[in-house]
PDB file of all heavy atoms in Angstrom:
ATOM      1  N   MET A 266    -131.034-208.971 -65.894  1.00 41.00           N
ATOM      2  CA  MET A 266    -131.212-208.894 -64.434  1.00 41.00           C
ATOM      3  C   MET A 266    -132.689-208.824 -64.063  1.00 41.00           C
ATOM      4  O   MET A 266    -133.470-208.187 -64.761  1.00 41.00           O
ATOM      5  CB  MET A 266    -130.523-207.644 -63.885  1.00 41.00           C
ATOM      6  CG  MET A 266    -129.012-207.733 -63.826  1.00 41.00           C
ATOM      7  SD  MET A 266    -128.328-206.279 -63.014  1.00 41.00           S
ATOM      8  CE  MET A 266    -126.603-206.735 -62.965  1.00 41.00           C
ATOM      9  N   ALA A 267    -133.032-209.408 -62.966  1.00 42.00           N
ATOM     10  CA  ALA A 267    -134.416-209.340 -62.501  1.00 42.00           C
ATOM     11  C   ALA A 267    -134.667-208.018 -61.796  1.00 42.00           C
ATOM     12  O   ALA A 267    -133.775-207.485 -61.170  1.00 42.00           O
ATOM     13  CB  ALA A 267    -134.713-210.498 -61.547  1.00 42.00           C
ATOM     14  N   THR A 268    -135.867-207.494 -61.904  1.00 43.00           N
ATOM     15  CA  THR A 268    -136.182-206.235 -61.230  1.00 43.00           C
ATOM     16  C   THR A 268    -136.895-206.451 -59.916  1.00 43.00           C
ATOM     17  O   THR A 268    -137.103-205.541 -59.157  1.00 43.00           O
ATOM     18  CB  THR A 268    -137.069-205.352 -62.137  1.00 43.00           C
ATOM     19  OG1 THR A 268    -138.249-206.070 -62.448  1.00 43.00           O
ATOM     20  CG2 THR A 268    -136.331-204.990 -63.404  1.00 43.00           C
ATOM     21  N   GLU A 269    -137.318-207.651 -59.637  1.00 47.00           N
ATOM     22  CA  GLU A 269    -137.964-207.967 -58.369  1.00 47.00           C
ATOM     23  C   GLU A 269    -137.123-208.996 -57.641  1.00 47.00           C
ATOM     24  O   GLU A 269    -136.589-209.922 -58.241  1.00 47.00           O
ATOM     25  CB  GLU A 269    -139.376-208.523 -58.593  1.00 47.00           C
ATOM     26  CG  GLU A 269    -140.331-207.537 -59.186  1.00 47.00           C
ATOM     27  CD  GLU A 269    -140.736-206.458 -58.207  1.00 47.00           C
ATOM     28  OE1 GLU A 269    -140.634-206.699 -57.001  1.00 47.00           O
ATOM     29  OE2 GLU A 269    -141.136-205.377 -58.649  1.00 47.00           O
ATOM     30  N   ALA A 270    -137.011-208.836 -56.292  1.00 42.00           N
ATOM     31  CA  ALA A 270    -136.214-209.763 -55.507  1.00 42.00           C
ATOM     32  C   ALA A 270    -136.849-211.143 -55.506  1.00 42.00           C
ATOM     33  O   ALA A 270    -138.036-211.304 -55.322  1.00 42.00           O
ATOM     34  CB  ALA A 270    -136.088-209.265 -54.071  1.00 42.00           C
ATOM     35  N   THR A 271    -136.036-212.160 -55.726  1.00 40.00           N
ATOM     36  CA  THR A 271    -136.492-213.540 -55.644  1.00 40.00           C
ATOM     37  C   THR A 271    -135.558-214.322 -54.767  1.00 40.00           C
ATOM     38  O   THR A 271    -134.373-214.021 -54.674  1.00 40.00           O
ATOM     39  CB  THR A 271    -136.537-214.195 -57.039  1.00 40.00           C
ATOM     40  OG1 THR A 271    -135.242-214.111 -57.633  1.00 40.00           O
ATOM     41  CG2 THR A 271    -137.543-213.498 -57.941  1.00 40.00           C
ATOM     42  N   VAL A 272    -136.073-215.360 -54.107  1.00 38.00           N
ATOM     43  CA  VAL A 272    -135.245-216.184 -53.257  1.00 38.00           C
ATOM     44  C   VAL A 272    -134.408-217.085 -54.140  1.00 38.00           C
ATOM     45  O   VAL A 272    -134.931-217.888 -54.903  1.00 38.00           O
ATOM     46  CB  VAL A 272    -136.098-217.042 -52.302  1.00 38.00           C
ATOM     47  CG1 VAL A 272    -135.204-217.868 -51.408  1.00 38.00           C
ATOM     48  CG2 VAL A 272    -136.990-216.150 -51.470  1.00 38.00           C
ATOM     49  N   ASN A 273    -133.090-216.993 -54.039  1.00 40.00           N
ATOM     50  CA  ASN A 273    -132.182-217.779 -54.850  1.00 40.00           C
ATOM     51  C   ASN A 273    -131.049-218.244 -53.976  1.00 40.00           C
ATOM     52  O   ASN A 273    -130.094-217.530 -53.742  1.00 40.00           O
ATOM     53  CB  ASN A 273    -131.668-216.929 -56.018  1.00 40.00           C
ATOM     54  CG  ASN A 273    -130.853-217.764 -57.006  1.00 40.00           C
ATOM     55  OD1 ASN A 273    -130.374-218.857 -56.675  1.00 40.00           O
ATOM     56  ND2 ASN A 273    -130.700-217.237 -58.218  1.00 40.00           N
ATOM     57  N   SER A 274    -131.139-219.444 -53.466  1.00 39.00           N
ATOM     58  CA  SER A 274    -130.197-219.926 -52.475  1.00 39.00           C
ATOM     59  C   SER A 274    -128.795-220.022 -53.002  1.00 39.00           C
ATOM     60  O   SER A 274    -127.829-219.909 -52.260  1.00 39.00           O
ATOM     61  CB  SER A 274    -130.643-221.304 -51.958  1.00 39.00           C
ATOM     62  OG  SER A 274    -131.899-221.205 -51.342  1.00 39.00           O
ATOM     63  N   ALA A 275    -128.630-220.266 -54.298  1.00 43.00           N
ATOM     64  CA  ALA A 275    -127.287-220.467 -54.814  1.00 43.00           C
ATOM     65  C   ALA A 275    -126.645-219.186 -55.294  1.00 43.00           C
ATOM     66  O   ALA A 275    -125.518-219.172 -55.739  1.00 43.00           O
ATOM     67  CB  ALA A 275    -127.343-221.475 -55.973  1.00 43.00           C
ATOM     68  N   ALA A 276    -127.355-218.094 -55.207  1.00 42.00           N
ATOM     69  CA  ALA A 276    -126.873-216.853 -55.811  1.00 42.00           C
ATOM     70  C   ALA A 276    -125.770-216.201 -55.024  1.00 42.00           C
ATOM     71  O   ALA A 276    -124.976-215.459 -55.561  1.00 42.00           O
ATOM     72  CB  ALA A 276    -128.027-215.885 -55.991  1.00 42.00           C
ATOM     73  N   SER A 277    -125.727-216.380 -53.734  1.00 44.00           N
ATOM     74  CA  SER A 277    -124.738-215.684 -52.921  1.00 44.00           C
ATOM     75  C   SER A 277    -124.107-216.638 -51.933  1.00 44.00           C
ATOM     76  O   SER A 277    -124.771-217.473 -51.334  1.00 44.00           O
ATOM     77  CB  SER A 277    -125.415-214.539 -52.171  1.00 44.00           C
ATOM     78  OG  SER A 277    -124.515-213.948 -51.264  1.00 44.00           O
ATOM     79  N   ARG A 285    -129.788-220.807 -45.291  1.00 57.00           N
ATOM     80  CA  ARG A 285    -130.529-219.742 -45.965  1.00 57.00           C
ATOM     81  C   ARG A 285    -131.989-220.139 -46.155  1.00 57.00           C
ATOM     82  O   ARG A 285    -132.885-219.325 -46.068  1.00 57.00           O
ATOM     83  CB  ARG A 285    -129.899-219.449 -47.326  1.00 57.00           C
ATOM     84  CG  ARG A 285    -128.532-218.817 -47.239  1.00 57.00           C
ATOM     85  CD  ARG A 285    -127.913-218.813 -48.600  1.00 57.00           C
ATOM     86  NE  ARG A 285    -128.857-218.173 -49.506  1.00 57.00           N
ATOM     87  CZ  ARG A 285    -128.604-217.054 -50.144  1.00 57.00           C
ATOM     88  NH1 ARG A 285    -127.456-216.477 -49.990  1.00 57.00           N
ATOM     89  NH2 ARG A 285    -129.493-216.518 -50.937  1.00 57.00           N
ATOM     90  N   TYR A 289    -135.062-218.433 -43.475  1.00 87.00           N
ATOM     91  CA  TYR A 289    -135.555-217.347 -44.321  1.00 87.00           C
ATOM     92  C   TYR A 289    -136.655-216.551 -43.624  1.00 87.00           C
ATOM     93  O   TYR A 289    -136.634-215.317 -43.628  1.00 87.00           O
ATOM     94  CB  TYR A 289    -136.065-217.903 -45.647  1.00 87.00           C
ATOM     95  CG  TYR A 289    -136.629-216.830 -46.558  1.00 87.00           C
ATOM     96  CD1 TYR A 289    -135.780-216.066 -47.355  1.00 87.00           C
ATOM     97  CD2 TYR A 289    -137.997-216.564 -46.599  1.00 87.00           C
ATOM     98  CE1 TYR A 289    -136.281-215.072 -48.174  1.00 87.00           C
ATOM     99  CE2 TYR A 289    -138.505-215.573 -47.407  1.00 87.00           C
ATOM    100  CZ  TYR A 289    -137.649-214.825 -48.193  1.00 87.00           C
ATOM    101  OH  TYR A 289    -138.142-213.831 -48.996  1.00 87.00           O
ATOM    102  N   ARG A 292    -135.196-214.401 -40.816  1.00 92.00           N
ATOM    103  CA  ARG A 292    -134.446-213.252 -41.330  1.00 92.00           C
ATOM    104  C   ARG A 292    -135.381-212.216 -41.949  1.00 92.00           C
ATOM    105  O   ARG A 292    -135.160-211.011 -41.835  1.00 92.00           O
ATOM    106  CB  ARG A 292    -133.405-213.719 -42.357  1.00 92.00           C
ATOM    107  CG  ARG A 292    -132.222-214.435 -41.703  1.00 92.00           C
ATOM    108  CD  ARG A 292    -131.191-214.905 -42.703  1.00 92.00           C
ATOM    109  NE  ARG A 292    -131.612-216.117 -43.378  1.00 92.00           N
ATOM    110  CZ  ARG A 292    -131.741-216.237 -44.700  1.00 92.00           C
ATOM    111  NH1 ARG A 292    -131.521-215.202 -45.479  1.00 92.00           N
ATOM    112  NH2 ARG A 292    -132.124-217.373 -45.241  1.00 92.00           N
ATOM    113  N   ASP A 369    -145.009-209.762 -48.506  1.00 91.00           N
ATOM    114  CA  ASP A 369    -144.360-210.687 -49.442  1.00 91.00           C
ATOM    115  C   ASP A 369    -145.182-211.964 -49.618  1.00 91.00           C
ATOM    116  O   ASP A 369    -145.343-212.467 -50.735  1.00 91.00           O
ATOM    117  CB  ASP A 369    -142.958-211.041 -48.950  1.00 91.00           C
ATOM    118  CG  ASP A 369    -141.979-209.877 -49.102  1.00 91.00           C
ATOM    119  OD1 ASP A 369    -142.234-209.017 -49.956  1.00 91.00           O
ATOM    120  OD2 ASP A 369    -140.977-209.846 -48.366  1.00 91.00           O
ATOM    121  N   LYS A 372    -148.524-211.266 -51.459  1.00 91.00           N
ATOM    122  CA  LYS A 372    -148.250-210.993 -52.872  1.00 91.00           C
ATOM    123  C   LYS A 372    -148.053-212.301 -53.644  1.00 91.00           C
ATOM    124  O   LYS A 372    -148.568-212.471 -54.758  1.00 91.00           O
ATOM    125  CB  LYS A 372    -147.014-210.097 -53.003  1.00 91.00           C
ATOM    126  CG  LYS A 372    -146.817-209.512 -54.383  1.00 91.00           C
ATOM    127  CD  LYS A 372    -145.784-208.397 -54.387  1.00 91.00           C
ATOM    128  CE  LYS A 372    -144.410-208.919 -54.001  1.00 91.00           C
ATOM    129  NZ  LYS A 372    -143.360-207.892 -54.228  1.00 91.00           N
ATOM    130  N   LYS A 373    -147.320-213.230 -53.034  1.00 89.00           N
ATOM    131  CA  LYS A 373    -147.117-214.542 -53.662  1.00 89.00           C
ATOM    132  C   LYS A 373    -148.435-215.316 -53.751  1.00 89.00           C
ATOM    133  O   LYS A 373    -148.732-215.958 -54.753  1.00 89.00           O
ATOM    134  CB  LYS A 373    -146.089-215.345 -52.865  1.00 89.00           C
ATOM    135  CG  LYS A 373    -144.679-214.784 -52.915  1.00 89.00           C
ATOM    136  CD  LYS A 373    -143.749-215.584 -52.014  1.00 89.00           C
ATOM    137  CE  LYS A 373    -142.351-214.970 -51.997  1.00 89.00           C
ATOM    138  NZ  LYS A 373    -141.442-215.689 -51.065  1.00 89.00           N
ATOM    139  N   LYS A 377    -149.809-216.459 -57.286  1.00 85.00           N
ATOM    140  CA  LYS A 377    -149.707-217.874 -57.646  1.00 85.00           C
ATOM    141  C   LYS A 377    -151.013-218.643 -57.472  1.00 85.00           C
ATOM    142  O   LYS A 377    -151.361-219.496 -58.285  1.00 85.00           O
ATOM    143  CB  LYS A 377    -148.605-218.538 -56.812  1.00 85.00           C
ATOM    144  CG  LYS A 377    -147.208-218.004 -57.114  1.00 85.00           C
ATOM    145  CD  LYS A 377    -146.153-218.694 -56.256  1.00 85.00           C
ATOM    146  CE  LYS A 377    -144.761-218.167 -56.563  1.00 85.00           C
ATOM    147  NZ  LYS A 377    -143.715-218.819 -55.710  1.00 85.00           N
ATOM    148  N   LYS A 468    -140.856-198.339 -58.043  1.00 94.00           N
ATOM    149  CA  LYS A 468    -139.666-199.182 -58.142  1.00 94.00           C
ATOM    150  C   LYS A 468    -139.660-199.965 -59.451  1.00 94.00           C
ATOM    151  O   LYS A 468    -138.650-200.008 -60.163  1.00 94.00           O
ATOM    152  CB  LYS A 468    -139.618-200.143 -56.954  1.00 94.00           C
ATOM    153  CG  LYS A 468    -138.455-201.134 -57.000  1.00 94.00           C
ATOM    154  CD  LYS A 468    -138.513-202.080 -55.815  1.00 94.00           C
ATOM    155  CE  LYS A 468    -137.402-203.131 -55.895  1.00 94.00           C
ATOM    156  NZ  LYS A 468    -137.456-204.078 -54.760  1.00 94.00           N
ATOM    157  N   SER A 483    -127.914-206.048 -56.674  1.00 92.00           N
ATOM    158  CA  SER A 483    -128.000-206.286 -55.237  1.00 92.00           C
ATOM    159  C   SER A 483    -126.676-206.854 -54.733  1.00 92.00           C
ATOM    160  O   SER A 483    -126.036-207.659 -55.412  1.00 92.00           O
ATOM    161  CB  SER A 483    -129.139-207.276 -54.946  1.00 92.00           C
ATOM    162  OG  SER A 483    -129.140-207.647 -53.591  1.00 92.00           O
ATOM    163  N   ASP A 485    -126.150-208.967 -52.412  1.00 86.00           N
ATOM    164  CA  ASP A 485    -126.194-210.390 -52.045  1.00 86.00           C
ATOM    165  C   ASP A 485    -126.553-211.286 -53.226  1.00 86.00           C
ATOM    166  O   ASP A 485    -126.415-212.499 -53.146  1.00 86.00           O
ATOM    167  CB  ASP A 485    -127.190-210.618 -50.895  1.00 86.00           C
ATOM    168  CG  ASP A 485    -128.625-210.367 -51.324  1.00 86.00           C
ATOM    169  OD1 ASP A 485    -128.841-209.409 -52.079  1.00 86.00           O
ATOM    170  OD2 ASP A 485    -129.524-211.128 -50.910  1.00 86.00           O
ATOM    171  N   ASN A 486    -127.012-210.694 -54.321  1.00 88.00           N
ATOM    172  CA  ASN A 486    -127.360-211.466 -55.504  1.00 88.00           C
ATOM    173  C   ASN A 486    -127.273-210.573 -56.736  1.00 88.00           C
ATOM    174  O   ASN A 486    -128.206-209.810 -57.007  1.00 88.00           O
ATOM    175  CB  ASN A 486    -128.767-212.050 -55.371  1.00 88.00           C
ATOM    176  CG  ASN A 486    -129.128-212.961 -56.532  1.00 88.00           C
ATOM    177  OD1 ASN A 486    -128.358-213.114 -57.476  1.00 88.00           O
ATOM    178  ND2 ASN A 486    -130.311-213.565 -56.471  1.00 88.00           N
ATOM    179  N   PRO A 487    -126.174-210.626 -57.477  1.00 89.00           N
ATOM    180  CA  PRO A 487    -125.977-209.752 -58.641  1.00 89.00           C
ATOM    181  C   PRO A 487    -127.053-209.901 -59.707  1.00 89.00           C
ATOM    182  O   PRO A 487    -127.202-209.029 -60.565  1.00 89.00           O
ATOM    183  CB  PRO A 487    -124.612-210.199 -59.181  1.00 89.00           C
ATOM    184  CG  PRO A 487    -123.925-210.822 -58.012  1.00 89.00           C
ATOM    185  CD  PRO A 487    -125.020-211.491 -57.230  1.00 89.00           C
ATOM    186  N   GLU A 488    -127.813-211.008 -59.666  1.00 89.00           N
ATOM    187  CA  GLU A 488    -128.868-211.216 -60.657  1.00 89.00           C
ATOM    188  C   GLU A 488    -130.132-210.412 -60.352  1.00 89.00           C
ATOM    189  O   GLU A 488    -131.061-210.375 -61.153  1.00 89.00           O
ATOM    190  CB  GLU A 488    -129.214-212.704 -60.730  1.00 89.00           C
ATOM    191  CG  GLU A 488    -128.102-213.570 -61.295  1.00 89.00           C
ATOM    192  CD  GLU A 488    -127.716-213.132 -62.707  1.00 89.00           C
ATOM    193  OE1 GLU A 488    -128.617-212.918 -63.535  1.00 89.00           O
ATOM    194  OE2 GLU A 488    -126.508-212.975 -62.964  1.00 89.00           O
ATOM    195  N   VAL A 489    -130.165-209.791 -59.172  1.00 90.00           N
ATOM    196  CA  VAL A 489    -131.328-208.991 -58.779  1.00 90.00           C
ATOM    197  C   VAL A 489    -130.954-207.508 -58.814  1.00 90.00           C
ATOM    198  O   VAL A 489    -129.934-207.101 -58.260  1.00 90.00           O
ATOM    199  CB  VAL A 489    -131.808-209.375 -57.363  1.00 90.00           C
ATOM    200  CG1 VAL A 489    -132.900-208.419 -56.892  1.00 90.00           C
ATOM    201  CG2 VAL A 489    -132.325-210.801 -57.352  1.00 90.00           C
ATOM    202  N   LEU A 490    -131.764-206.720 -59.485  1.00 93.00           N
ATOM    203  CA  LEU A 490    -131.530-205.285 -59.592  1.00 93.00           C
ATOM    204  C   LEU A 490    -132.326-204.554 -58.520  1.00 93.00           C
ATOM    205  O   LEU A 490    -133.526-204.804 -58.366  1.00 93.00           O
ATOM    206  CB  LEU A 490    -131.943-204.787 -60.976  1.00 93.00           C
ATOM    207  CG  LEU A 490    -131.425-203.412 -61.422  1.00 93.00           C
ATOM    208  CD1 LEU A 490    -129.906-203.422 -61.532  1.00 93.00           C
ATOM    209  CD2 LEU A 490    -132.043-203.041 -62.770  1.00 93.00           C
ATOM    210  N   VAL A 491    -131.671-203.672 -57.764  1.00 94.00           N
ATOM    211  CA  VAL A 491    -132.344-202.904 -56.717  1.00 94.00           C
ATOM    212  C   VAL A 491    -132.143-201.415 -56.965  1.00 94.00           C
ATOM    213  O   VAL A 491    -131.238-201.010 -57.684  1.00 94.00           O
ATOM    214  CB  VAL A 491    -131.808-203.288 -55.313  1.00 94.00           C
ATOM    215  CG1 VAL A 491    -132.090-204.744 -54.996  1.00 94.00           C
ATOM    216  CG2 VAL A 491    -130.317-202.983 -55.193  1.00 94.00           C
ATOM    217  N   GLU A 577    -135.063-202.590 -47.724  1.00 95.00           N
ATOM    218  CA  GLU A 577    -134.314-203.017 -48.912  1.00 95.00           C
ATOM    219  C   GLU A 577    -132.856-203.306 -48.558  1.00 95.00           C
ATOM    220  O   GLU A 577    -132.265-204.253 -49.081  1.00 95.00           O
ATOM    221  CB  GLU A 577    -134.395-201.931 -49.991  1.00 95.00           C
ATOM    222  CG  GLU A 577    -135.782-201.708 -50.573  1.00 95.00           C
ATOM    223  CD  GLU A 577    -136.268-202.883 -51.414  1.00 95.00           C
ATOM    224  OE1 GLU A 577    -135.490-203.380 -52.261  1.00 95.00           O
ATOM    225  OE2 GLU A 577    -137.411-203.324 -51.222  1.00 95.00           O
ATOM    226  N   LYS A 580    -132.703-206.621 -46.553  1.00 93.00           N
ATOM    227  CA  LYS A 580    -132.887-207.775 -47.432  1.00 93.00           C
ATOM    228  C   LYS A 580    -131.562-208.207 -48.043  1.00 93.00           C
ATOM    229  O   LYS A 580    -131.291-209.407 -48.190  1.00 93.00           O
ATOM    230  CB  LYS A 580    -133.887-207.433 -48.548  1.00 93.00           C
ATOM    231  CG  LYS A 580    -135.344-207.422 -48.092  1.00 93.00           C
ATOM    232  CD  LYS A 580    -136.267-206.881 -49.172  1.00 93.00           C
ATOM    233  CE  LYS A 580    -136.319-207.783 -50.377  1.00 93.00           C
ATOM    234  NZ  LYS A 580    -137.281-207.274 -51.391  1.00 93.00           N
ATOM    235  N   HIS A 584    -129.407-211.537 -46.840  1.00 89.00           N
ATOM    236  CA  HIS A 584    -129.446-212.462 -47.980  1.00 89.00           C
ATOM    237  C   HIS A 584    -130.854-212.969 -48.270  1.00 89.00           C
ATOM    238  O   HIS A 584    -131.110-214.167 -48.309  1.00 89.00           O
ATOM    239  CB  HIS A 584    -128.501-213.647 -47.709  1.00 89.00           C
ATOM    240  CG  HIS A 584    -127.084-213.249 -47.462  1.00 89.00           C
ATOM    241  ND1 HIS A 584    -126.173-213.038 -48.480  1.00 89.00           N
ATOM    242  CD2 HIS A 584    -126.427-212.994 -46.296  1.00 89.00           C
ATOM    243  CE1 HIS A 584    -125.002-212.678 -47.964  1.00 89.00           C
ATOM    244  NE2 HIS A 584    -125.141-212.641 -46.640  1.00 89.00           N
ATOM    245  N   LEU A 585    -131.771-212.031 -48.479  1.00 88.00           N
ATOM    246  CA  LEU A 585    -133.156-212.382 -48.792  1.00 88.00           C
ATOM    247  C   LEU A 585    -133.469-212.279 -50.276  1.00 88.00           C
ATOM    248  O   LEU A 585    -134.546-212.684 -50.713  1.00 88.00           O
ATOM    249  CB  LEU A 585    -134.113-211.476 -47.997  1.00 88.00           C
ATOM    250  CG  LEU A 585    -134.055-211.621 -46.479  1.00 88.00           C
ATOM    251  CD1 LEU A 585    -134.950-210.582 -45.820  1.00 88.00           C
ATOM    252  CD2 LEU A 585    -134.470-213.019 -46.043  1.00 88.00           C
ATOM    253  N   ASN A 586    -132.538-211.712 -51.054  1.00 80.00           N
ATOM    254  CA  ASN A 586    -132.795-211.548 -52.488  1.00 80.00           C
ATOM    255  C   ASN A 586    -132.384-212.827 -53.238  1.00 80.00           C
ATOM    256  O   ASN A 586    -131.226-213.156 -53.280  1.00 80.00           O
ATOM    257  CB  ASN A 586    -132.020-210.351 -53.045  1.00 80.00           C
ATOM    258  CG  ASN A 586    -132.624-209.041 -52.582  1.00 80.00           C
ATOM    259  OD1 ASN A 586    -133.827-208.971 -52.364  1.00 80.00           O
ATOM    260  ND2 ASN A 586    -131.820-208.002 -52.417  1.00 80.00           N
TER     261      ASN A 586
END
Side-chain angles (χ1 to χ4, degrees):
M266 285 186 175
T268 58
E269 294 288 337
T271 57
V272 181
N273 188 341
S274 299
S277 173
R285 292 170 54 117
Y289 178 83
R292 287 180 282 122
D369 288 336
K372 193 167 64 170
K373 292 176 184 177
K377 295 180 180 179
K468 177 182 177 181
S483 173
D485 67 320
N486 185 357
E488 293 301 313
V489 173
L490 197 64
V491 297
E577 294 291 313
K580 284 172 66 177
H584 302 275
L585 296 175
N586 287 329

